[in-house]
Structure formats: C-alpha cells, structure tokens
Amino acid sequence: MLSISLSSSAFELEKISKLNLQVGTWLENYQQVRARDNDAVNGFELRPYLGLGAKYQLQQKMAIIPEAGWVLPQNKEAVTKNIFFLRADFNYAVKKWLDLKIGSSFMMQSYSAEGGEDRLRNGDETEVYYIPERRTAYNQTLDLGAEFIHKNMGLRFQTHIYAWNESDERMYSYSLSYLYGFGPQELFK
C-alpha cells in the first residue's frame, strides 16, 4: 500500500527553491479539429492562459514542479469553454539554461451554452445535435516539455498528450509560455 506522509520530516518547505508565474498561449488539439466538414484543420490560435507553480528540489538537478493553470474562457458559436488544470512534472536540469520535463496533468474542461438543438449536415443527410447547457469533461494527460532559462525568466514549450495509450483516440495540445520565477522568501519581505 502506498502512503504519503506530510510530516515536517517528509516535506520540507525549505526545499521549495522557486515559485513561478506563467503567461502563455494554449494550442488545443492542434491540426486535429475542424469546425465544419469543409473547413481547414485548426492552426495557431492565441488562447491566453495563466499559471502558478512551485519548484520542489529533490536533488541538485532534479525537482518536482506542481502547477495550477487556467486557460481564459473562449466563446465560439454561443458556447463558452473554460479549461483548468493541475499538473505535476518531474524536472531535470540538463544545463544551467535548459530543463527537461515529464509529468501529467489533470484537465477539467467546462462547456456552457444556452441549450437547445441544432440541425447539422452529417454526410449526405442532416441530423439533430443537442447543445448542452453545461458539460464538464475530465482528462489525464501525459506531458513532455522543455524550458529555456535566463536568470529569473524562462520560456517553456510543453506537449499535452490526451489518451496517450490509445492510438486511435490520441490528441495533442501544446502550450508556450513565459515564466517569471522568484524565491518564496520574496513574498514575505
């Protein structure tokens, strides 16, 4: 049985070496979705997101980085979409200026609309599709990333792989973000 202890000897606040604020863009299901059957697949879109993380040092080059983030609401065709995520990455410092990451995110995607139904083409026919008033989807992703660091700033590219073990359902989302890092002691000056 796996147990986690949060006693002072197992979790040391002094090992939090850095907090970071993130501002970036979220590319959801990049090059994999069409809004209509005759549309092109989705490309680069500016979908701002905000995040907050902490770097918990395990050893000199290794750390665990828990993060929370929010992709700002998007409103398309009377449907509003919100994405919130909790992420935990294992971080390895390859060089002073380069960190590699592998981890997982718990994604919560919330869709809301006025409800009702819409008749859309489906092949040669049309079908009625129901528009939900509110729907929430939960996903676990496999995340791979790299962060380029200069002093207390960073630029991170991250891949979020949905259904990573199901080749016919696998989807990819990407994030690109600017990070500003600071020591936890700076909060209490």
Side-chain angles (χ1 to χ4, degrees), residues 75 78-82 110-115 131-135:
N75 194 335
V79 175
T80 301
K81 181 178 184 180
N82 255 318
S110 171
Y111 302 88
S112 58
E114 292 185 20
I131 303 168
E133 289 181 19
R134 184 164 188 86
R135 180 176 157 231

Side-chain angles (χ1 to χ4, degrees), residues 49-173:
Y49 89 92
L50 305 171
L52 176 65
K55 189 173 197 176
Y56 185 82
Q57 287 299 142
L58 298 174
Q59 294 180 0
Q60 183 177 352
K61 291 188 170 208
M62 293 184 280
I64 297 291
I65 303 179
E67 297 176 340
W70 174 46
V71 180
L72 299 182
Q74 305 142 33
N75 194 335
K76 283 191 178 178
E77 299 182 23
V79 175
T80 301
K81 181 178 184 180
N82 255 318
I83 300 175
F84 299 94
F85 62 86
L86 297 174
R87 175 173 40 231
D89 285 343
F90 172 78
N91 186 86
Y92 183 76
V94 177
K95 300 277 186 187
K96 185 177 181 179
W97 53 270
L98 175 65
D99 286 356
L100 297 180
K101 301 169 181 309
I102 184 168
S104 184
S105 293
F106 176 72
M107 304 282 186
M108 183 181 85
Q109 299 176 339
S110 171
Y111 302 88
S112 58
E114 292 185 20
E117 53 186 55
D118 197 1
R119 184 170 288 279
L120 301 172
R121 280 188 41 215
N122 186 2
D124 294 332
E125 302 174 359
T126 60
E127 288 190 32
V128 173
Y129 291 89
Y130 297 96
I131 303 168
E133 289 181 19
R134 184 164 188 86
R135 180 176 157 231
T136 303
Y138 302 97
N139 293 286
Q140 194 74 38
T141 64
L142 172 65
D143 303 337
L144 304 170
E147 186 176 326
F148 301 93
I149 304 158
H150 179 71
K151 297 183 182 176
N152 61 342
M153 297 173 286
L155 183 66
R156 180 189 297 169
F157 175 76
Q158 194 122 12
T159 303
H160 312 277
I161 307 168
Y162 294 78
W164 61 271
N165 58 344
E166 303 283 338
S167 61
D168 57 333
E169 295 183 25
R170 189 172 301 137
M171 300 289 281
Y172 299 90
S173 291

